[in-house]
Coordinates of all heavy atoms in Angstrom, one line a residue:
D1 N 102.6 94.1 117.2 CA 102.6 95.0 116.0 C 102.1 96.4 116.5 O 101.6 97.1 115.7 CB 101.7 94.4 114.9 CG 100.2 94.3 115.4 OD1 100.0 94.2 116.6 OD2 99.3 94.3 114.6
E2 N 102.3 96.7 117.8 CA 101.8 97.9 118.4 C 103.0 98.9 118.5 O 104.0 98.6 119.1 CB 101.1 97.7 119.7 CG 100.4 98.9 120.2 CD 99.6 98.6 121.4 OE1 100.2 98.5 122.5 OE2 98.4 98.5 121.3
F3 N 102.8 100.1 118.0 CA 103.8 101.2 118.1 C 103.2 102.4 118.8 O 102.0 102.5 118.8 CB 104.3 101.6 116.7 CG 105.1 100.5 116.0 CD1 104.4 99.5 115.3 CD2 106.5 100.5 115.9 CE1 105.0 98.5 114.6 CE2 107.2 99.5 115.3 CZ 106.4 98.5 114.6
I4 N 104.1 103.3 119.3 CA 103.5 104.5 119.9 C 104.5 105.6 119.6 O 105.7 105.4 119.5 CB 103.3 104.3 121.4 CG1 102.5 105.4 121.9 CG2 104.6 104.2 122.1 CD1 101.8 105.1 123.3
L5 N 103.9 106.8 119.4 CA 104.7 108.0 119.0 C 104.4 109.1 120.0 O 103.2 109.4 120.3 CB 104.3 108.4 117.6 CG 104.9 109.7 117.1 CD1 106.5 109.5 116.9 CD2 104.3 110.1 115.7
L6 N 105.4 109.8 120.4 CA 105.3 111.1 121.1 C 105.6 112.2 120.1 O 106.8 112.4 119.8 CB 106.2 111.1 122.4 CG 106.1 112.4 123.2 CD1 104.6 112.6 123.7 CD2 107.0 112.4 124.4
H7 N 104.6 112.8 119.6 CA 104.7 113.9 118.6 C 105.0 115.2 119.3 O 104.4 115.5 120.3 CB 103.4 113.9 117.8 CG 103.5 115.0 116.7 ND1 104.5 115.1 115.8 CD2 102.6 116.0 116.3 CE1 104.3 116.1 115.0 NE2 103.1 116.6 115.3
G8 N 106.0 115.9 118.8 CA 106.4 117.1 119.4 C 105.5 118.3 119.4 O 105.8 119.3 120.0
S9 N 104.4 118.2 118.8 CA 103.4 119.3 118.7 C 102.1 118.9 119.4 O 101.6 117.8 119.1 CB 103.2 119.7 117.3 OG 102.1 120.7 117.2
G10 N 101.6 119.7 120.2 CA 100.2 119.5 120.8 C 99.1 120.1 120.0 O 98.0 120.2 120.5
D11 N 99.4 120.4 118.8 CA 98.4 121.0 117.9 C 97.6 120.0 117.1 O 98.2 119.0 116.6 CB 99.1 121.9 116.9 CG 98.2 122.6 115.9 OD1 97.4 123.5 116.3 OD2 98.2 122.1 114.7
V12 N 96.3 120.1 117.1 CA 95.4 119.1 116.4 C 95.8 119.0 115.0 O 95.9 117.9 114.4 CB 93.9 119.5 116.6 CG1 93.0 118.6 115.8 CG2 93.5 119.4 118.1
A13 N 96.0 120.1 114.3 CA 96.2 120.1 112.9 C 97.5 119.3 112.6 O 97.6 118.5 111.6 CB 96.3 121.5 112.3
S14 N 98.6 119.6 113.4 CA 99.9 118.9 113.1 C 99.8 117.4 113.4 O 100.3 116.6 112.7 CB 100.9 119.6 114.0 OG 102.1 118.9 113.9
S15 N 99.0 117.1 114.5 CA 98.8 115.7 114.8 C 98.1 114.9 113.7 O 98.4 113.8 113.4 CB 98.1 115.6 116.2 OG 98.8 116.2 117.2
R16 N 97.0 115.6 113.2 CA 96.3 115.0 112.2 C 97.1 114.8 110.9 O 97.1 113.7 110.3 CB 95.1 115.9 111.8 CG 94.2 115.4 110.7 CD 93.1 116.4 110.4 NE 92.3 116.7 111.5 CZ 91.2 115.9 111.8 NH1 90.9 114.9 111.1 NH2 90.5 116.2 112.9
Q17 N 98.0 115.8 110.6 CA 98.8 115.7 109.4 C 99.8 114.5 109.6 O 100.1 113.7 108.7 CB 99.6 117.0 109.2 CG 100.4 117.0 107.9 CD 101.1 118.4 107.7 OE1 101.2 119.1 108.7 NE2 101.6 118.6 106.5
T18 N 100.4 114.4 110.8 CA 101.3 113.3 111.1 C 100.6 111.9 111.0 O 101.2 111.0 110.4 CB 102.0 113.5 112.4 OG1 102.7 114.7 112.5 CG2 102.9 112.3 112.8
A19 N 99.5 111.8 111.5 CA 98.7 110.5 111.5 C 98.4 110.2 110.0 O 98.5 109.0 109.6 CB 97.5 110.6 112.3
E20 N 98.0 111.1 109.2 CA 97.7 110.9 107.8 C 98.9 110.4 107.1 O 98.8 109.5 106.2 CB 97.1 112.1 107.2 CG 95.7 112.5 107.7 CD 95.2 113.8 107.1 OE1 96.0 114.6 106.6 OE2 93.9 114.1 107.2
A21 N 100.0 111.0 107.4 CA 101.3 110.7 106.7 C 101.7 109.2 107.1 O 102.2 108.5 106.3 CB 102.4 111.6 107.1
I22 N 101.5 108.9 108.4 CA 101.8 107.5 108.8 C 101.0 106.5 108.1 O 101.4 105.5 107.6 CB 101.7 107.4 110.3 CG1 102.8 108.2 111.0 CG2 101.7 105.9 110.8 CD1 102.6 108.3 112.6
I23 N 99.6 106.7 108.1 CA 98.7 105.8 107.4 C 99.1 105.7 105.9 O 99.1 104.6 105.4 CB 97.3 106.3 107.6 CG1 96.9 106.1 109.1 CG2 96.3 105.5 106.7 CD1 95.5 106.7 109.4
D24 N 99.4 106.8 105.3 CA 99.7 106.8 103.9 C 101.0 106.0 103.6 O 101.1 105.2 102.7 CB 99.8 108.2 103.3 CG 100.2 108.2 101.8 OD1 99.4 107.8 101.0 OD2 101.3 108.7 101.5
T25 N 102.0 106.2 104.5 CA 103.3 105.6 104.3 C 103.2 104.1 104.5 O 103.8 103.3 103.7 CB 104.3 106.2 105.3 OG1 104.5 107.6 105.0 CG2 105.6 105.4 105.2
L26 N 102.5 103.7 105.5 CA 102.4 102.2 105.8 C 101.4 101.5 104.9 O 101.4 100.3 104.9 CB 102.0 102.0 107.3 CG 103.0 102.5 108.3 CD1 102.6 102.1 109.7 CD2 104.4 102.0 108.0
S27 N 100.6 102.2 104.2 CA 99.6 101.6 103.2 C 100.4 101.2 102.0 O 99.8 100.4 101.2 CB 98.5 102.5 102.9 OG 98.9 103.7 102.2
Q28 N 101.6 101.7 101.7 CA 102.3 101.3 100.6 C 103.0 100.0 100.8 O 103.4 99.6 101.9 CB 103.4 102.4 100.3 CG 102.9 103.8 100.0 CD 103.9 104.8 100.0 OE1 105.1 104.5 99.6 NE2 103.6 106.1 100.3
R29 N 103.0 99.2 99.8 CA 103.4 97.8 99.9 C 104.9 97.7 100.4 O 105.7 98.5 100.1 CB 103.2 97.0 98.6 CG 101.8 97.0 98.1 CD 101.6 96.1 96.9 NE 101.6 94.7 97.3 CZ 100.6 94.0 97.8 NH1 99.4 94.6 97.9 NH2 100.7 92.8 98.1
F30 N 105.2 96.6 101.1 CA 106.5 96.3 101.6 C 107.1 95.1 100.8 O 106.3 94.1 100.6 CB 106.5 95.9 103.1 CG 106.2 97.1 104.0 CD1 104.9 97.5 104.2 CD2 107.2 97.8 104.6 CE1 104.6 98.5 105.1 CE2 106.9 98.8 105.4 CZ 105.6 99.2 105.7
L31 N 108.3 95.1 100.5 CA 109.0 94.0 99.8 C 109.8 93.3 100.9 O 110.8 93.8 101.4 CB 109.9 94.4 98.7 CG 110.5 93.3 97.9 CD1 109.5 92.4 97.3 CD2 111.5 93.8 96.8
V32 N 109.4 92.1 101.3 CA 110.1 91.4 102.4 C 110.5 90.0 101.8 O 109.6 89.2 101.5 CB 109.1 91.2 103.6 CG1 109.9 90.4 104.7 CG2 108.7 92.6 104.1
E33 N 111.8 89.8 101.7 CA 112.3 88.6 101.2 C 111.5 88.1 99.9 O 111.0 87.0 99.8 CB 112.2 87.5 102.2 CG 113.1 87.8 103.4 CD 113.2 86.6 104.4 OE1 112.7 85.5 104.1 OE2 113.7 86.9 105.6
E34 N 111.5 89.0 99.0 CA 110.9 88.8 97.6 C 109.4 88.6 97.7 O 108.8 88.2 96.7 CB 111.5 87.6 96.9 CG 113.0 87.8 96.7 CD 113.7 86.7 95.9 OE1 113.0 85.7 95.7 OE2 114.8 86.8 95.5
R35 N 108.7 88.9 98.8 CA 107.3 88.9 99.0 C 106.8 90.3 99.0 O 107.2 91.1 99.8 CB 106.9 88.1 100.2 CG 107.2 86.6 100.1 CD 106.7 85.9 101.4 NE 106.9 84.4 101.3 CZ 108.1 83.8 101.6 NH1 109.1 84.5 102.1 NH2 108.2 82.5 101.5
S36 N 105.7 90.6 98.3 CA 105.1 91.9 98.3 C 103.9 91.8 99.3 O 103.0 91.1 99.1 CB 104.6 92.3 96.9 OG 103.9 93.5 97.0
L37 N 104.1 92.5 100.4 CA 103.1 92.5 101.5 C 102.4 93.8 101.7 O 103.0 94.9 101.6 CB 103.8 92.1 102.8 CG 104.6 90.8 102.8 CD1 105.3 90.5 104.1 CD2 103.7 89.6 102.4
S38 N 101.2 93.8 102.1 CA 100.4 95.0 102.3 C 99.7 94.9 103.7 O 99.1 93.9 104.0 CB 99.3 95.1 101.2 OG 98.5 96.2 101.4
V39 N 99.9 96.0 104.4 CA 99.2 96.1 105.7 C 98.6 97.5 105.8 O 98.9 98.4 105.0 CB 100.2 95.9 106.9 CG1 100.8 94.5 106.9 CG2 101.3 97.0 106.8

């Protein structure tokens, strides 16, 4: 379950914004074969 990203900006603010967006996106529930899953 390990992923890695090469973000195109070396800017702290941009990296922070991207990380926050990833956490927010993946915190939303997933519907997998009629099961509502949260990670």
Side-chain angles (χ1 to χ4, degrees):
D1 62 338
E2 189 171 80
F3 296 79
I4 194 161
L5 173 69
L6 180 58
H7 181 49
S9 172
D11 177 72
V12 172
S14 176
S15 300
R16 181 184 298 275
Q17 184 179 18
T18 299
E20 290 173 346
I22 290 173
I23 292 175
D24 179 66
T25 296
L26 297 187
S27 67
Q28 300 171 28
R29 301 188 73 85
F30 291 83
L31 184 63
V32 180
E33 296 187 13
E34 299 183 353
R35 293 179 176 88
S36 180
L37 304 178
S38 176
V39 295

